[in-house]
Amino acid sequence: MKEKPFSSLPVFLVDDEESVLHASAAVLRSAGVARLELLSDSRELLPALERQSASAVLLDLSMPHLPGNKLLPDIVHLYPEVPVIVMTAAQDVETAVRSMKEGAFDYLVKPVEESRLVASVRHALEVHSLRRQMGVLKRYLLSDCLQNNEAFAGIVTNSRKMRALFQYLEAVAVTAEPVLISGETGAGKEMFAHALHKLSGLSGQFVQVNVAGLDDTLFSDTLFGHKKGAFTGADQSRAGLIAQAAGGTLFLDEIGDLSMASQVKLLRLLQEHMYFPLGSDVARPSDARVVCATNCNLAQMMRQNQFRSDLFFRLSVHQIEVPPLRQRKEDIPLLLQHFLDEAAALINKPAPEPSNELITLLSNHHFPGNVRELRAMVFNAMALHRGGSVLAMDSFRQAMQKQQKASADNLPSEPPDGLPILIPGRFPTLDEVEEALVNEALKRAKGNQGVAATLLGLSRPALNRRLARRAMQAES
């Protein structure tokens, strides 16, 4: 059975006093709890729960026909994953305590303080989402299956590491908690964010913003919007991206570049689900799910006081680290063919076949730019392709040699701290070092001399000359 997204599960409010019922609903809606089901007759609750799953139940204990204390054991027995918050009059606290022993999640004393009501319901929703998440993870551990393969259709992979991430993503999609996606540039973080949005079943939009380079004022205006006259040039009010992402997903890319002042505002949004447009003193609720991505090491930044620890722990409730391409080399042939087909379709050419030598060459490349780098290589090769059934390798070799040269140019000219490079034992000769490097390159290239030459940064004739010289020396 497919899990319903967290946004589709309402909170049931059950109270025979209409005024209390509607007042509680107004408080919760203003705090961002949008899905509510109101029942003034307690006898309607169990049939309603059969038709519609709930994320929590707010239950008055003193009601005619079927009192809450009689109804509670049935709810706990039939729907153990649904937290039940009971409400009672001040003189009946003992009954509430007894209800807690019978399985109630929390109790509230009438008249209920608004902050206490909101805090209790939010806590119940968090617990319910964790219970559902654990249930989904348990099923995946037992069955090793995916329920929503179509959500990952855009991610080309045959990697077990990636499949494990897909399963985890399906499990956390049913919660409302933030998700932090980390990984190197070009590894596919944005695609994971899109997949999460599809899995969550949210009715709202997927709204993306790159926060790198945004100062605090621009960050606030971009996310929260502003009122007319909030600052010079604000000729009319404008809704921010949070409003655009209502009922959907707000994806904040490059979160590691966020200023400290903006980090405070983001933390407040995550904790309170409320925000203030610039120039306004009226708080507005937010029900957008926040997903963040970064290629920075936030834990290290936190230790260096460059990233707030409270924001880090708030964001990292659910954390996904996308592995770099060099750690899932089994995906290279699949991605190569995928990009070949994509590039061929764009330029209206038949897609040539990649050679085994090309696949070996790519499998030995470090790919600092990950999947994005491979895509650029393939599209460049297709643009230069002049016909023939096999894809030429020259452009790939040239791209790798340029990348190797750039990496070498970025290395320090001297060892760090001026320390000499220490080689234990007898110092090897240049011929011995060259022989070791050539042997290692040939080993990695599986004996293919063209691939080995590329790994060494040499032309094929230059490698052949070295091999011939070694053969002559061995004979003499």
Side-chain angles (χ1 to χ4, degrees):
M1 178 180 173
K2 185 177 178 179
E3 288 286 335
K4 292 183 179 180
F6 67 86
S7 59
S8 69
L9 300 181
V11 176
F12 278 80
L13 308 183
V14 188
D15 199 311
D16 62 307
E17 297 183 56
E18 294 280 352
S19 59
V20 174
L21 196 62
H22 291 286
S24 299
V27 169
L28 292 174
R29 286 194 180 101
S30 67
V33 184
R35 288 292 313 277
L36 299 171
E37 294 285 344
L38 278 58
L39 299 175
S40 58
D41 189 336
S42 58
R43 293 172 295 184
E44 299 175 1
L45 178 59
L46 290 178
L49 289 175
E50 289 181 12
R51 297 188 301 269
Q52 167 69 67
S53 299
S55 55
V57 173
L58 190 63
L59 180 68
D60 185 25
L61 289 179
S62 302
M63 290 182 289
H65 309 302
L66 185 57
N69 57 352
K70 300 293 184 183
L71 193 56
L72 174 64
D74 291 335
I75 303 173
V76 173
H77 174 70
L78 296 172
Y79 308 100
E81 77 284 358
V82 179
V84 181
I85 303 168
V86 298
M87 293 192 300
T88 184
Q91 65 269 21
D92 207 15
V93 174
E94 288 187 8
T95 304
V97 173
R98 189 161 55 250
S99 298
M100 296 286 288
K101 295 179 180 179
E102 294 175 355
F105 175 78
D106 196 3
Y107 75 91
L108 304 173
V109 177
K110 292 183 177 180
V112 183
E113 294 181 6
E114 292 185 5
S115 59
R116 177 83 170 87
L117 172 64
V118 171
S120 181
V121 171
R122 281 185 179 165
H123 188 202
L125 294 178
E126 290 174 358
V127 169
H128 176 258
S129 69
L130 287 173
R131 289 174 179 174
R132 296 184 71 202
Q133 183 187 151
M134 291 300 294
V136 174
L137 285 172
K138 184 177 180 180
R139 286 202 303 275
Y140 287 148
L141 287 172
L142 295 175
S143 63
D144 189 32
C145 68
L146 282 174
Q147 293 183 335
N148 303 279
N149 284 290
E150 65 279 1
F152 304 101
I155 304 176
V156 179
T157 184
N158 195 31
S159 165
R160 291 180 63 87
K161 291 180 180 179
M162 296 287 277
R163 181 177 176 82
L165 290 181
F166 293 170
Q167 292 175 330
Y168 181 72
L169 209 64
E170 280 195 341
V172 303
V174 300
T175 77
E177 294 297 317
V179 175
L180 177 63
I181 305 173
S182 57
E184 295 180 6
T185 298
K189 299 185 290 296
E190 182 180 340
M191 299 185 76
F192 270 83
H194 278 285
L196 179 62
H197 177 69
K198 292 177 184 176
L199 290 168
S200 67
L202 294 169
S203 58
Q205 299 180 53
F206 178 90
V207 178
Q208 177 177 353
V209 58
N210 189 319
V211 301
L214 297 183
D215 61 25
D216 184 53
T217 301
L218 190 53
F219 171 82
S220 300
D221 188 32
T222 302
L223 260 64
F224 308 143
H226 62 257
K227 281 186 64 178
K228 180 179 179 181
F231 50 83
T232 303
D235 300 328
Q236 57 184 3
S237 297
R238 186 183 67 81
L241 295 184
I242 293 176
Q244 294 181 32
T249 300
L250 179 65
F251 177 48
L252 304 178
D253 202 4
E254 306 293 351
I255 195 69
D257 294 336
L258 202 60
S259 70
M260 294 298 283
S262 297
Q263 290 178 32
V264 174
K265 294 176 181 178
L266 178 58
L267 177 63
R268 187 179 301 125
L269 173 69
L270 296 173
Q271 288 178 336
E272 302 174 7
H273 302 277
M274 306 288 288
Y275 68 97
F276 292 89
L278 291 178
S280 174
D281 56 0
V282 178
R284 296 185 183 178
S286 169
D287 62 351
R289 198 221 188 115
V290 176
V291 179
C292 297
T294 182
N295 59 5
C296 301
N297 186 334
L298 295 187
Q300 182 178 348
M301 291 180 65
M302 179 179 65
R303 291 191 292 270
Q304 296 171 348
N305 295 321
Q306 296 174 342
F307 201 86
R308 292 181 62 93
S309 59
D310 44 7
L311 177 58
F312 173 78
F313 291 117
R314 184 56 119 166
L315 289 174
S316 59
V317 174
H318 303 307
Q319 188 167 1
I320 292 171
E321 184 165 358
V322 184
L325 184 55
R326 61 183 171 276
Q327 291 182 8
R328 47 186 179 100
K329 292 184 177 180
E330 64 271 30
D331 286 344
I332 288 178
L334 288 173
L335 288 164
L336 175 60
Q337 188 61 57
H338 174 74
F339 293 140
L340 276 174
D341 294 338
E342 184 181 343
L346 281 175
I347 60 178
N348 198 25
K349 287 183 179 179
E353 290 291 327
S355 65
N356 290 333
E357 185 180 0
L358 175 58
I359 293 174
T360 302
L361 176 66
L362 293 173
S363 298
N364 281 282
H365 185 52
H366 189 65
F367 280 107
N370 290 290
V371 178
R372 190 179 298 153
E373 180 184 355
L374 175 59
R375 184 181 186 275
M377 284 182 176
V378 174
F379 271 64
N380 182 56
M382 278 300 300
L384 298 173
H385 188 61
R386 293 295 177 261
S389 60
V390 179
L391 183 65
M393 295 176 55
D394 292 344
S395 64
F396 290 93
R397 286 196 175 101
Q398 291 170 8
M400 292 180 186
Q401 288 169 357
K402 286 180 181 178
Q403 193 275 321
Q404 289 171 356
K405 184 178 185 304
S407 298
D409 290 343
N410 289 328
L411 290 175
S413 57
E414 296 181 0
D417 299 325
L419 293 175
I421 299 175
L422 299 178
I423 300 177
R426 182 182 64 84
F427 200 88
T429 66
L430 289 176
D431 286 341
E432 289 171 339
V433 172
E434 179 182 288
E435 182 176 0
L437 288 173
V438 170
N439 288 339
E440 179 63 23
L442 288 169
K443 178 181 176 182
R444 294 191 183 188
K446 300 176 182 177
N448 189 301
Q449 294 181 7
V451 174
T454 302
L455 295 177
L456 291 166
L458 300 173
S459 65
R460 179 71 175 269
L463 177 60
N464 287 339
R465 287 195 296 271
R466 282 170 168 77
L467 292 174
R469 188 174 68 247
R470 286 174 53 193
M472 292 176 59
Q473 290 172 348
E475 290 176 0
S476 61

